Amino acid sequence: MDQPRRLILASTSRYRKGLLERLGLAFETAPPGVDEVPVPGEAPAVTALRLSIEKARALKIQFKDCLIVGSDQVASCEGARLGKPGDHATAVRQLRSLSGKTAQFDTAVSLLDARNGALQSRVVPCKVVFRTLDDPRIEAYLRKEQPYDCAGSAKSEGLGIALIARMETEDPTALVGLPLIALSEMLERAGLPVLP
């Protein structure tokens, strides 16, 4: 009987690692070492897709016979990109700018079969409508959750859900950072089904 293919997550993100663990497959993680600077004029969804592919391909020499997952997310609102805030003051500014507005989170996932070079890629968009957020609510949220490593400063899988009026997406895990519905389909096509 064939051994199952090794699965590699090209990421150091604890959020992506936690999401992939939900599928119950054995996997390893490795840093892809990809420069994530956007190309000038590049649309957010295009950036996310390009980077997800680059991350997967960055590990193909190191993991020659493996299935490699790359993923990237770009958040934007009214034409401005929303990075990870990194600190409290930036998070306050981000959440003030998102108050009552709709943000777009474009999350791409790629699966590279390093054995034969076959690549599957997809972008899963998510529109997030934020509630009107006053400063006391923003401060209370940031004190409790400290989401300084999350694009847009709101963790939907945690207390950040209270900042959101609604979301529109085909896959809620895309908002967290790894679209598991799309990835499950890709893994099945690559011969590593989540549910054999």
Side-chain angles (χ1 to χ4, degrees):
M1 185 170 164
D2 285 345
Q3 285 291 319
R5 301 286 299 282
R6 279 172 72 201
L7 183 63
I8 309 297
L9 176 62
S11 178
T12 55
S13 163
R14 61 192 169 110
Y15 302 111
R16 288 196 178 103
K17 182 176 184 282
L19 284 166
L20 189 50
E21 284 170 348
R22 289 189 198 179
L23 298 185
L25 298 171
F27 69 94
E28 302 158 55
T29 62
V34 168
D35 181 358
E36 298 190 24
V37 175
V39 173
E42 192 174 50
V46 174
T47 301
L49 185 62
R50 176 178 58 80
L51 290 175
S52 77
I53 293 169
E54 285 181 15
K55 288 175 183 180
R57 286 184 171 153
L59 298 178
K60 72 179 177 184
I61 302 299
Q62 187 180 349
F63 298 100
K64 289 184 173 62
D65 198 42
C66 301
L67 294 171
I68 305 169
V69 178
S71 186
D72 193 77
Q73 182 183 76
V74 178
S76 58
C77 181
E78 297 181 339
R81 293 193 183 212
L82 304 166
K84 297 171 184 174
D87 59 44
H88 186 84
T90 307
V92 168
R93 281 197 302 277
Q94 272 194 353
L95 290 174
R96 280 179 181 158
S97 75
L98 289 168
S99 176
K101 294 181 182 161
T102 301
Q104 172 95 5
F105 291 79
D106 289 301
T107 308
V109 61
S110 295
L111 183 68
L112 175 68
D113 186 332
R115 182 184 288 170
N116 60 22
L119 176 72
Q120 301 177 63
S121 295
R122 189 157 157 213
V123 177
V124 180
C126 181
K127 279 189 168 46
V128 177
V129 180
F130 283 84
R131 296 169 65 186
T132 300
L133 308 174
D134 58 22
D135 283 353
R137 179 173 286 167
I138 289 171
E139 288 292 342
Y141 168 67
L142 292 177
R143 262 196 322 275
K144 288 180 180 173
E145 190 134 79
Q146 301 181 10
Y148 306 130
D149 61 347
C150 295
S153 305
K155 263 200 236 182
S156 65
E157 71 275 28
L159 192 56
I161 201 74
L163 306 179
I164 295 170
R166 68 182 179 281
M167 60 179 77
E168 299 166 21
T169 183
E170 63 194 60
D171 185 348
T173 60
L175 182 55
V176 184
L178 184 63
L180 293 182
I181 294 173
L183 180 57
S184 295
E185 293 168 357
M186 290 176 181
L187 288 166
E188 184 150 354
R189 283 194 291 268
L192 187 66
V194 174
L195 294 171

